[in-house]
Amino acid sequence: MTATIADTIYQALSQKIITGDLAAGEKLRQDHIARDFETSHVPVREALLRLEAHGLAKSEPRKGMRVTALDPAEVREVIEMRVALESLALQHSAQNMTPTALKVADRARKDCDEADSMPQWEARNRIFHRAILTPCGLPRLLHAIDDLHIASARHLFAHWRPKWMQRIDTDHAAIIQALKSKDVSAATSILVRHIRRAN
């Protein structure tokens, strides 16, 4: 699927908000964004609406669109939703997990461990979680989880960026091992602990 201009703008702005390069309260000016991306206001509007749908921006009367603040209550809700939805996805995924899918997930695990910056690690961490969950074959569930990862990533950057260091993720390794052994219960309980601990 070819990325549209709106997709490109959304990806660029969401990444800046997630990493904190665009701070809470900062105004997202349509004309400036359109100029930066050498495009009309239409794709910019579409990208801003998507940011709003993902809770990264908020439209305020007479003030325009601004970057939202991190809400601790929302962070707790996101964690609980991730626990519920990723557990469900993993239980279905484990039943459909092929040797090829396991190899893809294990490669994603290694890539994550080899990340040399927090932005690189966060992107690869999302890829790892997607790799272990994609075999569930439930696109709506996966889409909901992707949305939660965006919200979760912003919190991760705010809290972990100052103290981030390259490390081997033993939880990721343990999840892969449990999936190889077809121990769905162990894989799920490790995933739940992992989500709660990471946040």
Side-chain angles (χ1 to χ4, degrees):
M1 196 166 66
T2 310
T4 64
I5 296 168
D7 291 334
T8 304
I9 296 167
Y10 167 75
Q11 291 295 342
L13 293 178
S14 66
Q15 193 60 21
K16 283 185 173 183
I17 294 168
I18 286 167
T19 57
D21 291 340
L22 276 172
E26 199 157 332
K27 192 166 184 182
L28 299 167
R29 298 177 186 275
Q30 276 194 42
D31 51 344
H32 291 188
I33 296 165
R35 196 164 56 240
D36 289 345
F37 286 89
E38 298 176 344
T39 187
S40 71
H41 283 217
V42 177
V44 176
R45 238 189 326 272
E46 187 187 324
L48 292 178
L49 288 171
R50 280 167 67 184
L51 289 173
E52 189 170 30
H54 286 128
L56 298 175
K58 188 171 172 41
S59 179
E60 296 176 352
R62 295 181 301 281
K63 288 184 181 175
M65 195 75 80
R66 290 181 186 272
V67 176
T68 54
L70 268 175
D71 178 356
E74 185 187 316
V75 170
R76 285 192 296 275
E77 182 185 9
V78 165
I79 292 164
E80 290 311 311
M81 287 177 74
R82 278 191 61 195
V83 163
L85 298 188
E86 290 193 42
S87 295
L88 177 64
L90 189 63
Q91 284 156 23
H92 285 276
S93 190
Q95 294 164 20
N96 302 329
M97 189 69 72
T98 63
T100 304
L102 253 177
K103 270 187 191 157
V104 169
D106 202 31
R107 180 67 256 168
R109 173 190 69 79
K110 288 172 187 161
D111 287 346
C112 201
D113 288 345
E114 289 164 9
D116 55 17
S117 69
M118 175 129 190
Q120 191 181 63
W121 170 83
E122 191 281 321
R124 291 179 181 187
N125 182 58
R126 272 196 259 176
I127 291 167
F128 170 78
H129 281 260
R130 197 65 155 81
I132 61 169
L133 301 177
T134 295
C136 78
L138 301 167
R140 285 188 183 185
L141 180 59
L142 289 169
H143 184 70
I145 290 167
D146 285 345
D147 281 354
L148 291 171
H149 270 263
I150 291 168
S152 191
R154 197 174 172 201
H155 170 72
L156 281 172
F157 269 95
H159 290 269
W160 291 100
R161 193 169 198 170
K163 51 194 170 188
W164 184 86
M165 62 179 72
Q166 188 181 38
R167 65 184 177 86
I168 302 295
D169 194 316
T170 53
D171 284 349
H172 285 184
I175 290 166
I176 292 290
Q177 197 50 53
L179 289 171
K180 281 180 181 171
S181 308
K182 302 194 186 305
D183 190 342
V184 184
S185 172
T188 306
S189 63
I190 296 160
L191 179 65
V192 167
R193 184 188 70 203
H194 174 68
I195 293 168
R196 290 216 164 104
R197 189 160 57 190
N199 290 275

